[in-house]
Amino acid sequence: MDSNGEKTGLGLAGVGADLSVRADTSAEADSYIVYARHKKSSLVFALDADAMASWVCENEDWVDHSNILATPAPVTAGHNDLDGTECGGSPVSTWKKMQENP
């Protein structure tokens, strides 16, 4: 909820054990980014509603920790917020677009 009591996020019932999901919206709630990560993974996956492509950030230090440990991007409507944005990864510190399957 924002300061006006408007819904700006979501909660997911039935998310699997050791799976974290985060959804952030823009100030006007007209765009969003969704993040997902399993506790045993070094990868955080993200989807920006304005880009409709999958992005990934990796850091081996995240394995066996709960929650989304990557740095979230600020959400701006009409803009790909993830491309090259800092994510806290190591050794690559920015969000990278995932390759499409052939």
Side-chain angles (χ1 to χ4, degrees):
M1 303 288 240
D2 66 13
S3 60
N4 296 321
E6 298 293 324
K7 295 178 182 177
T8 59
L10 66 101
L12 301 174
V15 172
D18 295 327
L19 181 66
S20 295
V21 176
R22 173 183 173 142
D24 294 341
T25 65
S26 62
E28 298 78 27
D30 51 6
S31 185
Y32 62 88
I33 299 175
V34 176
Y35 304 90
R37 181 182 159 272
H38 189 275
K39 180 179 179 178
K40 296 291 183 182
S41 178
S42 62
L43 302 171
V44 174
F45 300 96
L47 175 72
D48 184 329
D50 297 309
M52 295 312 292
S54 298
W55 300 82
V56 66
C57 184
E58 181 173 13
N59 189 327
E60 288 296 327
D61 291 340
W62 296 339
V63 174
D64 288 328
H65 291 275
S66 297
N67 301 318
I68 304 294
L69 300 174
T71 305
V75 184
T76 307
H79 181 262
N80 178 351
D81 301 302
L82 294 168
D83 190 17
T85 302
E86 173 64 35
C87 68
S90 178
V92 178
S93 64
T94 59
W95 289 101
K96 296 294 179 192
K97 187 174 182 181
M98 292 181 59
Q99 301 295 320
E100 294 182 18
N101 291 331

